[in-house]
Amino acid sequence: MAHEPKGREREQRPEERQPEKQRPEERRPEEQRPGVRLAWLLRRWWEEAGNASGGTRPTQQALASKVGVDQTTLSRYLNPKHASTAPPRVVETLHTHLRAPAAELERARELCRAALEENSRQRAVGLEPEPTVDTGTGTGTGTADADAPGVAPGDGTDGPGAPSRRRPRWAVPALVVAALVLAFVAGTVVRDQYAPGPRTPADGAAAGAAAVSGAPAEGALQWPLLLKQKEDLFTRGRALQHLLKEREYEVKADGFFTDETQEAVMDFQRRKHLSPDGKVGKRTWPQLVKELGPGAEGHAVLALQELLNNTGQGGTEVSGRFTAATADDLRFFQRSHGLAPSGRSDVETWLFLLVFQSPPDDAPEYQRDTSPLPSAPA
């Protein structure tokens, strides 16, 4: 009968649409890490951004400028071949700009938190995040062709029927665990045979005193050394000048270490009984930074926000007011680097902020101080 082909079509269409309904990030979630599932979700938001009537999907370059990160970083956030490390602020901004379903925002936040916790655990044991292998869904991505949705460079021939080339998921972790066990056993044997003697409480106290005083232990992070020069020192230079302005020194927060900045540094060093050499390093920085928390205002907060805004985790508002959003961004940074997520800027957090700065950019106009300057202290 004439109506039978239509009925068969109706029976076949749900089967044909089945792969479309089953989102890539929803396949075997028990076998996928939170960061990978987050990357799938963000990728889908971007690919479906132009599906609405009259809508146009933004390029990743344009989207990156709106989010406040560079295009390479955004491409990695949207690449399911890597566990996404997009911070909450970036996830929320992407959800807004891409007009993603409102019901999926909380799910994205949960995946973001889970991915952050997993990344922190890996940092604690000294492991790098495991790269994700393409599952053969045909929607893998790569950074070589960041604006081509659903295409992975060099991976276009894989499909649902292609033979799987994935190694067992337990293989790499098992090898890593075995290597760690062997290293631990070997280290224990060497220590027992060659250690000069038991470690005393005094040794631990001395190490703690060194950390508090700002003197880095062997292999620890080093405070950056800033000194007078013609080149722009960018965020580190502006942060230094904001911290000097917090001490009521008459300097311009433009990133250039000029004579006036050097004179202010030398005066500050004299007041703190440091060698007045005009160089800002491991002895001067710990005396210059301040512990800040919610509710704080002023130039020290501007210094903190300048640094936090340039760590590559998404835009932090540089307002001079320590808001709840500033605290959230700071906690994310602290977790990402294995620090206690207090949401306050202690000396160790300042050290990590100064060290982990993204490549320098020209200072935006709003970051250059044009207001009247206070006079230097007597």
Side-chain angles (χ1 to χ4, degrees):
M1 292 184 293
H3 67 278
E4 290 182 2
K6 294 183 179 180
R8 289 169 185 167
E9 288 180 5
R10 285 195 298 269
E11 293 175 0
Q12 292 173 356
R13 282 173 186 171
E15 297 175 0
E16 295 172 354
R17 290 195 299 264
Q18 183 66 23
E20 298 178 5
K21 291 184 178 181
Q22 189 178 18
R23 300 297 184 186
E25 72 274 9
E26 295 172 352
R27 297 184 63 186
R28 293 182 293 179
E30 70 280 1
E31 295 184 10
Q32 291 184 347
R33 296 161 52 200
V36 178
R37 296 166 65 190
L38 177 62
W40 277 120
L41 183 60
L42 299 181
R43 181 74 183 189
R44 176 163 62 79
W45 287 356
W46 175 66
E47 291 186 350
E48 294 181 353
N51 288 353
S53 177
T56 302
R57 181 178 63 249
T59 64
Q60 289 194 10
Q61 182 178 6
L63 186 59
S65 64
K66 293 180 180 180
V67 175
V69 298
D70 58 82
Q71 183 180 355
T72 302
T73 301
L74 179 64
S75 296
R76 186 175 181 87
Y77 289 162
L78 304 182
N79 186 356
K81 286 182 174 291
H82 303 276
S84 180
T85 57
R89 182 172 297 279
V90 170
V91 171
E92 293 169 0
T93 305
L94 287 172
H95 182 271
T96 300
H97 284 294
L98 298 177
R99 299 180 180 180
E104 294 186 354
L105 178 58
E106 187 56 37
R107 178 187 177 193
R109 287 171 174 163
E110 292 175 359
L111 289 174
C112 183
R113 287 191 291 267
L116 178 61
E117 293 173 358
E118 181 184 56
N119 191 43
S120 299
R121 288 194 299 269
Q122 290 175 335
R123 287 178 180 274
V125 298
L127 296 177
E128 290 296 327
E130 178 188 351
T132 305
V133 182
D134 190 1
T135 58
T137 61
T139 55
T141 62
T143 57
D145 191 10
D147 288 333
V151 177
D155 206 32
T157 58
D158 285 346
S164 174
R165 292 175 293 179
R166 299 177 62 205
R167 68 181 64 183
R169 295 188 62 84
W170 52 264
V172 173
L175 292 174
V176 171
V177 171
L180 289 175
V181 171
L182 290 175
F184 176 78
V185 173
T188 303
V189 173
V190 172
R191 183 197 63 188
D192 292 342
Q193 293 203 5
Y194 296 101
R199 187 175 173 86
T200 65
D203 295 331
V212 172
S213 66
E218 182 180 359
L221 296 179
Q222 300 283 342
W223 290 92
L225 178 64
L226 303 188
L227 65 159
K228 180 183 174 182
Q229 56 184 283
K230 295 181 179 180
E231 293 78 12
D232 192 345
L233 297 178
F234 300 99
T235 51
R236 293 188 181 97
R238 294 195 298 272
L240 166 63
Q241 290 159 335
H242 279 306
L243 290 170
L244 288 170
K245 288 167 74 71
E246 180 75 13
R247 308 280 180 170
E248 299 184 354
Y249 285 98
E250 186 177 347
V251 295
K252 186 176 181 179
D254 59 1
F256 290 93
F257 201 125
T258 59
D259 288 335
E260 69 174 12
T261 300
Q262 185 182 50
E263 292 170 3
V265 169
M266 293 174 66
D267 185 74
F268 175 80
Q269 290 171 328
R270 292 189 192 98
R271 292 172 180 270
K272 293 296 182 179
H273 308 289
L274 302 172
S275 176
D277 57 6
K279 301 176 182 178
V280 184
K282 63 182 180 181
R283 293 181 178 84
T284 303
W285 279 118
Q287 297 290 329
L288 194 57
V289 300
K290 298 180 64 176
E291 180 169 345
L292 303 170
E297 295 184 357
H299 285 286
V301 178
L302 284 172
L304 177 70
Q305 292 172 329
E306 285 263 17
L307 295 171
L308 196 55
N309 184 55
N310 196 48
T311 56
Q313 65 179 36
T316 295
E317 183 182 9
V318 183
S319 63
R321 296 184 297 275
F322 199 117
T323 62
T326 303
D328 289 341
D329 289 349
L330 187 58
R331 275 191 287 268
F332 182 87
F333 175 84
Q334 289 169 327
R335 290 192 190 97
S336 299
H337 292 82
L339 303 174
S342 63
R344 301 182 64 85
S345 61
D346 53 17
V347 174
E348 188 177 23
T349 299
W350 280 102
L351 169 60
F352 275 72
L353 282 169
L354 284 162
V355 170
F356 292 101
Q357 286 295 293
S358 297
D361 296 316
D362 289 338
E365 188 64 27
Y366 79 89
Q367 291 180 324
R368 296 186 178 274
D369 187 4
T370 56
S371 59
L373 300 173
S375 58

